[in-house]
Short mmCIF file of all heavy atoms in Angstrom, two decimals:
data_model
loop_
_atom_site.label_atom_id
_atom_site.label_comp_id
_atom_site.label_asym_id
_atom_site.label_seq_id
_atom_site.Cartn_x
_atom_site.Cartn_y
_atom_site.Cartn_z
N PRO Y 795 15.41 63.42 155.95
CA PRO Y 795 14.97 62.30 156.74
C PRO Y 795 15.84 61.76 157.72
O PRO Y 795 15.48 60.96 158.54
CB PRO Y 795 14.40 61.45 155.65
CG PRO Y 795 15.27 61.71 154.40
CD PRO Y 795 15.48 63.13 154.48
N HIS Y 796 17.19 61.96 157.55
CA HIS Y 796 18.22 61.36 158.43
C HIS Y 796 18.73 62.36 159.33
O HIS Y 796 18.94 62.03 160.47
CB HIS Y 796 19.30 60.78 157.61
CG HIS Y 796 18.87 59.64 156.64
ND1 HIS Y 796 18.82 59.93 155.23
CD2 HIS Y 796 18.33 58.51 156.73
CE1 HIS Y 796 18.32 58.83 154.62
NE2 HIS Y 796 18.08 57.99 155.60
N PHE Y 797 18.91 63.53 158.92
CA PHE Y 797 19.59 64.53 159.80
C PHE Y 797 18.71 65.72 160.25
O PHE Y 797 19.22 66.50 161.18
CB PHE Y 797 20.84 65.17 158.95
CG PHE Y 797 21.91 64.27 158.69
CD1 PHE Y 797 22.18 63.88 157.25
CD2 PHE Y 797 22.62 63.62 159.63
CE1 PHE Y 797 23.19 63.07 156.96
CE2 PHE Y 797 23.70 62.74 159.38
CZ PHE Y 797 23.93 62.45 157.96
N TRP Y 864 30.05 64.26 157.29
CA TRP Y 864 28.72 64.07 157.70
C TRP Y 864 28.57 64.02 159.26
O TRP Y 864 29.52 63.71 159.90
CB TRP Y 864 28.08 62.83 157.05
CG TRP Y 864 28.44 62.48 155.81
CD1 TRP Y 864 29.47 61.60 155.39
CD2 TRP Y 864 27.91 63.06 154.68
NE1 TRP Y 864 29.52 61.53 154.07
CE2 TRP Y 864 28.75 62.43 153.56
CE3 TRP Y 864 26.95 64.04 154.27
CZ2 TRP Y 864 28.40 62.69 152.16
CZ3 TRP Y 864 26.66 64.28 152.94
CH2 TRP Y 864 27.32 63.68 151.96
N ALA Y 865 27.41 64.60 159.79
CA ALA Y 865 27.21 64.43 161.10
C ALA Y 865 27.09 63.00 161.49
O ALA Y 865 26.61 62.08 160.64
CB ALA Y 865 25.90 65.17 161.49
N ALA Y 866 27.17 62.61 162.77
CA ALA Y 866 26.96 61.21 163.16
C ALA Y 866 25.57 60.82 162.91
O ALA Y 866 24.58 61.56 163.32
CB ALA Y 866 27.43 61.05 164.66
N TYR Y 867 25.22 59.60 162.51
CA TYR Y 867 23.85 59.05 162.33
C TYR Y 867 23.76 57.71 162.76
O TYR Y 867 24.61 56.81 162.48
CB TYR Y 867 23.57 59.08 160.93
CG TYR Y 867 22.21 58.63 160.49
CD1 TYR Y 867 21.05 59.34 160.86
CD2 TYR Y 867 22.00 57.34 159.87
CE1 TYR Y 867 19.76 58.77 160.64
CE2 TYR Y 867 20.87 56.83 159.61
CZ TYR Y 867 19.61 57.61 160.04
OH TYR Y 867 18.44 57.09 159.79
N ARG Y 868 22.70 57.53 163.72
CA ARG Y 868 22.62 56.22 164.22
C ARG Y 868 21.56 55.45 163.47
O ARG Y 868 20.48 55.92 163.16
CB ARG Y 868 22.11 56.34 165.66
CG ARG Y 868 23.16 56.94 166.63
CD ARG Y 868 24.25 55.87 166.98
NE ARG Y 868 23.82 54.69 167.80
CZ ARG Y 868 24.47 53.77 168.15
NH1 ARG Y 868 25.87 53.67 167.87
NH2 ARG Y 868 24.04 52.84 168.94
N LEU Y 869 21.86 54.29 163.12
CA LEU Y 869 20.97 53.29 162.36
C LEU Y 869 21.01 52.03 163.14
O LEU Y 869 22.00 51.19 163.01
CB LEU Y 869 21.37 53.15 160.95
CG LEU Y 869 20.43 52.27 160.12
CD1 LEU Y 869 19.04 52.79 160.07
CD2 LEU Y 869 20.93 52.12 158.63
N GLY Y 870 19.85 51.70 163.94
CA GLY Y 870 19.85 50.55 164.73
C GLY Y 870 20.94 50.66 165.77
O GLY Y 870 20.91 51.69 166.53
N THR Y 871 21.79 49.68 165.89
CA THR Y 871 22.90 49.89 166.95
C THR Y 871 24.21 50.40 166.34
O THR Y 871 25.36 50.45 166.99
CB THR Y 871 23.15 48.38 167.40
OG1 THR Y 871 23.61 47.61 166.44
CG2 THR Y 871 21.97 47.90 168.16
N GLU Y 872 24.28 50.81 164.99
CA GLU Y 872 25.46 51.29 164.42
C GLU Y 872 25.37 52.78 164.16
O GLU Y 872 24.41 53.46 164.06
CB GLU Y 872 25.51 50.71 162.97
CG GLU Y 872 25.51 49.16 162.91
CD GLU Y 872 25.64 48.78 161.49
OE1 GLU Y 872 26.69 48.86 160.86
OE2 GLU Y 872 24.64 48.14 160.97
N THR Y 873 26.66 53.40 164.21
CA THR Y 873 26.88 54.68 163.74
C THR Y 873 27.34 54.62 162.29
O THR Y 873 28.39 54.14 162.07
CB THR Y 873 27.91 55.44 164.70
OG1 THR Y 873 27.47 55.45 165.93
CG2 THR Y 873 27.96 56.85 164.19
N ILE Y 874 26.55 55.41 161.44
CA ILE Y 874 26.92 55.31 159.86
C ILE Y 874 27.60 56.38 159.49
O ILE Y 874 27.35 57.58 159.73
CB ILE Y 874 25.61 55.02 159.21
CG1 ILE Y 874 24.73 53.88 159.74
CG2 ILE Y 874 25.75 55.00 157.81
CD1 ILE Y 874 25.39 52.48 159.48
N ASN Y 875 28.52 56.14 158.56
CA ASN Y 875 29.34 57.18 157.80
C ASN Y 875 28.65 57.23 156.50
O ASN Y 875 28.69 56.22 155.91
CB ASN Y 875 30.79 56.83 157.79
CG ASN Y 875 31.51 57.79 157.02
OD1 ASN Y 875 31.03 58.85 156.38
ND2 ASN Y 875 32.88 57.69 156.89
N PHE Y 876 28.17 58.34 155.98
CA PHE Y 876 27.43 58.38 154.78
C PHE Y 876 28.41 58.45 153.45
O PHE Y 876 27.99 58.44 152.38
CB PHE Y 876 26.60 59.62 154.73
CG PHE Y 876 25.32 59.50 155.36
CD1 PHE Y 876 25.16 58.60 156.35
CD2 PHE Y 876 24.20 60.14 154.91
CE1 PHE Y 876 23.83 58.41 157.01
CE2 PHE Y 876 22.95 59.97 155.54
CZ PHE Y 876 22.84 59.17 156.55
N PHE Y 901 22.32 56.54 151.05
CA PHE Y 901 23.60 57.03 151.60
C PHE Y 901 24.64 56.00 151.29
O PHE Y 901 24.35 54.88 151.01
CB PHE Y 901 23.66 57.53 153.13
CG PHE Y 901 22.91 56.52 153.97
CD1 PHE Y 901 23.61 55.41 154.42
CD2 PHE Y 901 21.68 56.74 154.45
CE1 PHE Y 901 22.99 54.50 155.37
CE2 PHE Y 901 20.93 55.89 155.29
CZ PHE Y 901 21.60 54.75 155.69
N PRO Y 983 17.21 44.48 167.23
CA PRO Y 983 17.49 45.77 167.16
C PRO Y 983 18.42 46.21 166.11
O PRO Y 983 18.57 47.41 165.71
CB PRO Y 983 17.98 46.04 168.61
CG PRO Y 983 18.57 44.68 169.09
CD PRO Y 983 17.72 43.72 168.47
N LYS Y 984 19.31 45.14 165.67
CA LYS Y 984 20.17 45.42 164.55
C LYS Y 984 19.51 45.58 163.13
O LYS Y 984 20.10 45.94 162.21
CB LYS Y 984 21.23 44.46 164.59
CG LYS Y 984 22.15 44.40 165.77
CD LYS Y 984 23.34 43.36 165.79
CE LYS Y 984 24.04 43.36 166.95
NZ LYS Y 984 25.20 42.39 166.80
N SER Y 985 18.20 45.02 163.25
CA SER Y 985 17.55 45.15 161.83
C SER Y 985 17.32 46.57 161.34
O SER Y 985 16.96 47.41 161.97
CB SER Y 985 16.27 44.38 161.99
OG SER Y 985 15.51 44.46 160.76
N LYS Y 986 17.60 46.69 160.03
CA LYS Y 986 17.33 47.86 159.28
C LYS Y 986 15.96 47.88 158.42
O LYS Y 986 15.66 48.83 157.88
CB LYS Y 986 18.46 48.23 158.29
CG LYS Y 986 19.79 48.38 158.94
CD LYS Y 986 20.89 48.44 157.91
CE LYS Y 986 22.27 48.56 158.54
NZ LYS Y 986 23.39 48.52 157.47
#
Side-chain angles (χ1 to χ4, degrees):
H796 301 107
F797 295 115
W864 320 98
Y867 177 71
R868 294 283 292 179
L869 182 61
T871 60
E872 300 178 70
T873 299
I874 303 296
N875 179 356
F876 277 30
F901 48 82
K984 296 181 180 180
S985 175
K986 300 175 184 178

